Amino acid sequence: MKRWLCIGLCACLFLLSGCASAKPLSRDTFALDTTCSVTIYDGGDETLLDECVRLIAAREALWSRTKDDSDIARLNAADGAPVTVDEATASLISTAIALAGQTNGAFDVTALALTQQWEQAEKSGVLPRDEELAAALTAVGVQHIGVSGSTVTLRNGVTLDLGAIAKGQIGDDVAALLKERGCTSAIIELGGNVVAVGEKPNGDPFRVGIADPRNPNEMIATVAVRDCAVVTSGSYERGFTVAGKRYSHILDPNTGKPVDNDLLSVTILCASSTTADALSTACFVMGFDRAKVLVDSLDGVEAVFVKTGGETVATAGVTLV
Ligand code: AMP
Ligand code: MG
């Protein structure tokens, strides 16, 4: 089915150990091409869960690239004409442009032209030729996006795919809603994205497991977090299979090719799940050395890298349990 929002690593993060509160309230929903859940441990009721589910659905309706009337589908069909979008869409696109700059283009919401080449390759069983990738690369680059208020213009044949950041933003939006309504302890899961709101009702941190990319049903590490997003990118659950060979669904916007480096997965921990989502994708593209330099340069951002040999490297501020 549609690839716009990664199913990603649905199975990759597991919430561990029960919470002190007697009766957590939980709600599952299917959106963003993945399983989502919101669990309230303190300060909320079923009505608030209803609101969360409505918010997730409303954001999906704006940011899916496969729903015909979404802001993103309308932009991609506009053939360069200006399109009036929801304020939240314009704001997320502006954030995505800034994150492309911060990651030196490793995270790029205009990579759709490349994704389509690889989707086509999967269908035909024939790898894209270098000339085809070079042609697709001419329609890649956030410098071709114009944002003015709520009007967005895509120039130069560029198209958008918010699949590497939308779940992150939705996680932040749901967390903000929960807090606004007085919730002090909750967990939001959107596929492989986890957002911890506050801490467990007994004052302990939440524990979030990181899947072993070589065996996603097993955990390779567990982190303890309060008020923090934990977002993983890797290519062990999704990808393109062309002529029997598996390729990553995360593409290097410099080469047009699927990522194939010294990383199996990258988990980013930081206050903003939007930032964590974009950075986990970018770091996966960059490879360990460059990604570690980037993470070390950013205040309040931590990472757990799983390298191809299975070695796990966590940055200094990660609390492993
Ligand atoms: P994530 O699982 O958050 O790393 O996002 C992966 C999804 O983002 C892919 O399935 C594509 O839809 C899209 N994508 C692929 N490569 C990139 C990239 N370099 N930058 C931004 N989005 C990308
Ligand atoms: Mg991402």
Side-chain angles (χ1 to χ4, degrees), residues 164-165 233 277-278 280-281:
I165 192 171
S233 281
D277 200 355
S280 64
T281 306

Side-chain angles (χ1 to χ4, degrees), residues 6 107 163-165 193 231-233 276-282:
C6 73
F107 168 80
I165 192 171
N193 294 31
V231 179
T232 300
S233 281
D277 200 355
L279 287 181
S280 64
T281 306

